[in-house]
Amino acid sequence: MSVAKVGIILGSASDSDLLEPCQAALDRLNIPHENLVASAHRNPERVAEFAGGARERGLKVIIAMAGLSAALPGVVAAHTTLPVIGVPVQAGALAGVDALLSMVQMPRGIPVATVAIGKGGAVNAALLAAAILGVEDAEVAAQLDTYREEWS
Ligand code: RP5
């Protein structure tokens, strides 16, 4: 099996509706991926271990999905200089606006590339990860071109 290039981390098993569309897009682009459920608040050590060891394990990009007070992408970004893409989950009283603002309003120095709330964001996170990989990987760039041609 190929070494995962994209790591997907979810703040809760209750976020897993967003995992499938993200994984499906990565599969379509032939990008190997791995995933983990770990909360920035409930399992901070596990999150730190995942992010801190990500580069050594061969990951190139991390996608972090979370809802409510969504600290997860920021905490992941605090533990790695790999690109981190945040996907706000549509959950709770504010339907993902809280998570969106948590992710997009990262303080200077620790960036998180934040995509749209929900399933569209989950797919775009996969496509953005592919675009980042495609800078150096011509095969992934070609797969992304094909995806766009088929989509439009
Ligand atoms: C966040 O809190 C998770 O990302 C999830 O979206 C939300 C609720 O989590 P559960 O209480 O369903 O585990 O950390």
Side-chain angles (χ1 to χ4, degrees):
M1 210 174 88
S2 323
V3 174
K5 289 186 180 163
V6 175
I8 306 167
I9 183 165
L10 313 175
S12 168
S14 68
D15 300 330
S16 51
D17 276 2
L18 295 191
L19 182 60
E20 193 280 325
C22 183
Q23 287 181 321
L26 291 170
D27 287 340
R28 190 163 157 186
L29 297 164
N30 291 327
I31 298 171
H33 50 86
E34 64 174 32
N35 66 80
L36 171 75
V37 176
S39 159
H41 303 112
R42 296 167 178 146
N43 322 106
E45 289 86 6
R46 208 177 310 154
V47 172
E49 191 184 350
F50 169 84
R55 188 184 293 277
E56 208 171 297
R57 287 200 309 285
L59 294 183
K60 309 291 185 199
V61 184
I62 297 174
I63 296 172
M65 304 178 170
L68 306 183
S69 176
L72 186 63
V75 171
V76 168
H79 288 282
T80 182
T81 52
L82 289 175
V84 177
I85 303 170
V87 183
V89 173
Q90 189 170 345
L94 301 183
V97 174
D98 40 6
L100 170 68
L101 294 178
S102 297
M103 293 180 190
V104 84
Q105 284 292 85
M106 284 296 293
R108 181 170 59 184
I110 310 290
V112 167
T114 305
V115 294
I117 298 168
K119 286 189 182 172
V123 172
N124 274 351
L127 300 180
L128 182 55
I132 293 167
L133 293 171
V135 171
E136 294 289 338
D137 186 328
E139 268 180 46
V140 172
Q143 294 281 356
L144 196 49
D145 283 341
T146 305
Y147 181 100
R148 286 221 183 161
E149 278 162 26
E150 289 173 359
W151 185 260
S152 54

